[in-house]
Structures are given as C-alpha cells and as structure tokens.
Amino acid sequence: MAIERTLSIIKPDAVAKNVVGAILSRFEKAGLSVAAARMMHLSMEDAGRFYAVHRARPFYGELCSFMSSGPVLVAVLEGEGAIAKNRELMGATNPKEAAPGTIRADFADSIDANAVHGSDSAETAAWEISYFFGQREIYTR
Ligand code: RTP
Ligand code: MG
C-alpha cells in the first residue's frame, strides 16, 4: 500500500482531558508517524472555512463553536494507507457507535465532543493539510 499523508485534529475536548499524548501514541503504535504538529486555538472563521463542506448541515454552527471553544492539536500523520488507517483508529463519528478500542470509544463524550478529526479521502487530505501547513513544515523520516 502507498505511503499517504492525512490531517488529524485532536479536538478541544481531548486536549482539555490531557490525552494528546495517549492519542498520538495510538497512531504511532499503529505504524503512523507524526510529520507535522502544532497547537492552535481556531477562530470561529478558521473552523468555519475548515468545515465549509458541512455549511448547509444543521450541526454546522455547533460544530464550528465547539472546534473554536479551546485549543486543538493539528497534525499531519504519515504512513502506509494513512487515511483509512486513521479513520479506523478513530472509530465511528458517534462514540456510542464506535467500536471498542477505538479512540472515540475510549476518549469521546458525544457526537460533538468526539475527540478527533481525520481526513476522509485523498483529495480532502491534500486540501486539509495545505489549510494548516506549508511544505516546509512537513517532515518525512
Ligand atoms: P470529522 O470530520 O470531525 O473527522 O468527523 P467525521 O468525518 O466522522 O464526521 P462528519 O460527518 O465529517 O462530521 C463532522 C463533525 O460534525 C459533527 N457532527 N454532528 N449532530 C450530528 O448529527 C452530527 N453529525 C456530525 C461531529 O462532531 C463530526 O465529527
Ligand atoms: Mg469528516
């Protein structure tokens, strides 16, 4: 399988719970490497542009408020099949439906406060990575 890059966000709920390291460790144990990472506090506008694909959905306002409610860790993960592997490690969007042992099953509280974001396709990953990181900020081991 090809080496891919994907964008991960450790959301405000998980940062507040002090489980950033625990979540990054899951990625590393599954064979993904951190190629870039930064703590940031998104503005409502930052979150709105990032999640623009959802702007017509009823949960858009709440999603943007939540994502700008506290600091997040934005990161680029790199490895074989990184996009699908990350989604698998994350688990279902609603933590009540997330498989046991997934990040959302173990760390998420609700469908809004669901601990992590992960790119859902190669096209999305490329756009999301470029939204947060310049070429010179991304490292390959
Ligand atoms: P994400 O984009 O954050 O990685 O999550 P996802 O792909 O699993 O879910 P997506 O459909 O892209 O939705 C983005 C985020 O919006 C919130 N959401 N709320 N109330 C609802 O029905 C609902 N549906 C989605 C979630 O916080 C989800 O992560
Ligand atoms: Mg999504």
Short mmCIF file of all heavy atoms in Angstrom, two decimals, residues 41-52 59-69 131:
data_model
loop_
_atom_site.label_atom_id
_atom_site.label_comp_id
_atom_site.label_asym_id
_atom_site.label_seq_id
_atom_site.Cartn_x
_atom_site.Cartn_y
_atom_site.Cartn_z
N HIS A 41 -5.45 27.63 18.65
CA HIS A 41 -6.83 27.89 19.06
C HIS A 41 -7.53 28.48 17.84
O HIS A 41 -7.28 29.62 17.46
CB HIS A 41 -6.84 28.86 20.25
CG HIS A 41 -8.17 28.94 20.93
ND1 HIS A 41 -8.33 29.14 22.27
CD2 HIS A 41 -9.43 28.81 20.42
CE1 HIS A 41 -9.63 29.14 22.56
NE2 HIS A 41 -10.31 28.95 21.45
N LEU A 42 -8.38 27.70 17.19
CA LEU A 42 -9.04 28.14 15.97
C LEU A 42 -10.05 29.24 16.29
O LEU A 42 -10.73 29.18 17.32
CB LEU A 42 -9.81 26.97 15.33
CG LEU A 42 -9.01 25.72 14.94
CD1 LEU A 42 -9.95 24.67 14.35
CD2 LEU A 42 -7.92 26.07 13.95
N SER A 43 -10.14 30.22 15.40
CA SER A 43 -11.22 31.19 15.50
C SER A 43 -12.47 30.55 14.89
O SER A 43 -12.39 29.51 14.21
CB SER A 43 -10.86 32.46 14.72
OG SER A 43 -10.79 32.16 13.33
N MET A 44 -13.61 31.15 15.12
CA MET A 44 -14.86 30.69 14.52
C MET A 44 -14.70 30.67 12.98
O MET A 44 -15.17 29.74 12.32
CB MET A 44 -15.96 31.66 14.96
CG MET A 44 -17.35 31.20 14.70
SD MET A 44 -17.88 29.86 15.78
CE MET A 44 -19.53 29.61 15.12
N GLU A 45 -14.01 31.66 12.43
CA GLU A 45 -13.81 31.75 10.97
C GLU A 45 -12.89 30.63 10.47
O GLU A 45 -13.15 30.03 9.43
CB GLU A 45 -13.21 33.11 10.58
CG GLU A 45 -14.14 34.30 10.77
CD GLU A 45 -14.43 34.63 12.25
OE1 GLU A 45 -13.52 34.45 13.12
OE2 GLU A 45 -15.55 35.03 12.56
N ASP A 46 -11.81 30.35 11.23
CA ASP A 46 -10.91 29.22 10.88
C ASP A 46 -11.70 27.92 10.80
O ASP A 46 -11.55 27.14 9.86
CB ASP A 46 -9.87 28.98 12.00
CG ASP A 46 -8.75 29.98 12.03
OD1 ASP A 46 -8.43 30.56 10.99
OD2 ASP A 46 -8.19 30.18 13.14
N ALA A 47 -12.51 27.68 11.84
CA ALA A 47 -13.28 26.44 11.91
C ALA A 47 -14.32 26.41 10.79
O ALA A 47 -14.53 25.38 10.15
CB ALA A 47 -13.94 26.31 13.27
N GLY A 48 -14.94 27.55 10.53
CA GLY A 48 -15.98 27.63 9.51
C GLY A 48 -15.45 27.32 8.12
O GLY A 48 -16.09 26.62 7.34
N ARG A 49 -14.25 27.85 7.81
CA ARG A 49 -13.66 27.57 6.49
C ARG A 49 -13.23 26.11 6.40
O ARG A 49 -13.39 25.46 5.37
CB ARG A 49 -12.47 28.50 6.22
CG ARG A 49 -12.89 29.90 5.79
CD ARG A 49 -11.71 30.66 5.17
NE ARG A 49 -10.60 30.79 6.11
CZ ARG A 49 -10.47 31.79 6.99
NH1 ARG A 49 -11.38 32.74 7.04
NH2 ARG A 49 -9.44 31.84 7.80
N PHE A 50 -12.66 25.59 7.51
CA PHE A 50 -12.20 24.21 7.51
C PHE A 50 -13.35 23.24 7.27
O PHE A 50 -13.22 22.27 6.51
CB PHE A 50 -11.50 23.88 8.84
CG PHE A 50 -10.97 22.49 8.89
CD1 PHE A 50 -9.83 22.14 8.18
CD2 PHE A 50 -11.63 21.50 9.60
CE1 PHE A 50 -9.34 20.83 8.18
CE2 PHE A 50 -11.16 20.20 9.62
CZ PHE A 50 -10.01 19.87 8.90
N TYR A 51 -14.49 23.49 7.91
CA TYR A 51 -15.65 22.59 7.80
C TYR A 51 -16.68 23.12 6.80
O TYR A 51 -17.86 22.76 6.88
CB TYR A 51 -16.28 22.39 9.17
CG TYR A 51 -15.60 21.32 10.03
CD1 TYR A 51 -15.01 21.63 11.25
CD2 TYR A 51 -15.58 19.98 9.63
CE1 TYR A 51 -14.41 20.64 12.04
CE2 TYR A 51 -14.98 18.99 10.40
CZ TYR A 51 -14.40 19.34 11.61
OH TYR A 51 -13.82 18.35 12.38
N ALA A 52 -16.25 23.96 5.84
CA ALA A 52 -17.18 24.59 4.89
C ALA A 52 -18.05 23.55 4.15
O ALA A 52 -19.19 23.84 3.80
CB ALA A 52 -16.41 25.44 3.88
N PHE A 59 -25.94 20.88 11.95
CA PHE A 59 -24.98 20.91 13.07
C PHE A 59 -23.79 21.83 12.83
O PHE A 59 -22.89 21.92 13.67
CB PHE A 59 -24.49 19.48 13.38
CG PHE A 59 -23.84 18.77 12.20
CD1 PHE A 59 -22.52 19.02 11.84
CD2 PHE A 59 -24.57 17.84 11.46
CE1 PHE A 59 -21.92 18.36 10.77
CE2 PHE A 59 -23.98 17.18 10.38
CZ PHE A 59 -22.65 17.45 10.04
N TYR A 60 -23.78 22.55 11.68
CA TYR A 60 -22.60 23.36 11.29
C TYR A 60 -22.22 24.41 12.35
O TYR A 60 -21.06 24.53 12.73
CB TYR A 60 -22.87 24.04 9.95
CG TYR A 60 -21.76 24.90 9.43
CD1 TYR A 60 -20.53 24.36 9.06
CD2 TYR A 60 -21.94 26.27 9.27
CE1 TYR A 60 -19.51 25.17 8.56
CE2 TYR A 60 -20.93 27.09 8.77
CZ TYR A 60 -19.72 26.53 8.42
OH TYR A 60 -18.73 27.33 7.92
N GLY A 61 -23.22 25.14 12.84
CA GLY A 61 -22.95 26.21 13.82
C GLY A 61 -22.34 25.64 15.10
O GLY A 61 -21.33 26.14 15.60
N GLU A 62 -22.95 24.57 15.58
CA GLU A 62 -22.46 23.93 16.81
C GLU A 62 -21.06 23.36 16.62
O GLU A 62 -20.20 23.44 17.50
CB GLU A 62 -23.40 22.77 17.18
CG GLU A 62 -24.17 23.00 18.46
CD GLU A 62 -25.17 21.90 18.69
OE1 GLU A 62 -26.24 21.94 18.04
OE2 GLU A 62 -24.87 20.99 19.46
N LEU A 63 -20.85 22.76 15.44
CA LEU A 63 -19.54 22.18 15.14
C LEU A 63 -18.46 23.27 15.17
O LEU A 63 -17.41 23.09 15.79
CB LEU A 63 -19.61 21.52 13.75
CG LEU A 63 -18.32 21.00 13.14
CD1 LEU A 63 -17.71 19.90 14.01
CD2 LEU A 63 -18.58 20.45 11.72
N CYS A 64 -18.73 24.41 14.53
CA CYS A 64 -17.74 25.50 14.49
C CYS A 64 -17.53 26.11 15.87
O CYS A 64 -16.39 26.41 16.25
CB CYS A 64 -18.15 26.55 13.48
SG CYS A 64 -18.21 25.89 11.81
N SER A 65 -18.60 26.26 16.64
CA SER A 65 -18.45 26.78 18.02
C SER A 65 -17.60 25.84 18.84
O SER A 65 -16.70 26.26 19.56
CB SER A 65 -19.80 26.89 18.73
OG SER A 65 -20.64 27.72 18.03
N PHE A 66 -17.90 24.55 18.74
CA PHE A 66 -17.14 23.58 19.53
C PHE A 66 -15.66 23.57 19.13
O PHE A 66 -14.78 23.60 19.99
CB PHE A 66 -17.72 22.16 19.40
CG PHE A 66 -16.88 21.15 20.11
CD1 PHE A 66 -16.80 21.17 21.50
CD2 PHE A 66 -16.11 20.24 19.40
CE1 PHE A 66 -15.96 20.28 22.17
CE2 PHE A 66 -15.27 19.36 20.06
CZ PHE A 66 -15.20 19.37 21.45
N MET A 67 -15.40 23.57 17.82
CA MET A 67 -14.00 23.48 17.36
C MET A 67 -13.18 24.72 17.71
O MET A 67 -11.97 24.67 17.73
CB MET A 67 -13.97 23.23 15.85
CG MET A 67 -14.42 21.84 15.45
SD MET A 67 -13.46 20.50 16.20
CE MET A 67 -11.92 20.65 15.28
N SER A 68 -13.89 25.84 18.00
CA SER A 68 -13.17 27.06 18.39
C SER A 68 -13.29 27.32 19.89
O SER A 68 -12.92 28.39 20.36
CB SER A 68 -13.69 28.25 17.57
OG SER A 68 -15.08 28.39 17.72
N SER A 69 -13.76 26.33 20.65
CA SER A 69 -14.01 26.53 22.09
C SER A 69 -12.75 26.38 22.94
O SER A 69 -12.77 26.71 24.13
CB SER A 69 -15.07 25.55 22.58
OG SER A 69 -14.59 24.22 22.51
N TYR A 131 -4.35 23.54 4.28
CA TYR A 131 -5.08 24.56 5.05
C TYR A 131 -4.26 24.97 6.29
O TYR A 131 -4.28 26.13 6.69
CB TYR A 131 -6.45 24.01 5.47
CG TYR A 131 -7.36 25.04 6.11
CD1 TYR A 131 -7.99 26.00 5.33
CD2 TYR A 131 -7.59 25.04 7.49
CE1 TYR A 131 -8.83 26.95 5.91
CE2 TYR A 131 -8.42 25.99 8.07
CZ TYR A 131 -9.04 26.94 7.27
OH TYR A 131 -9.86 27.88 7.85
#
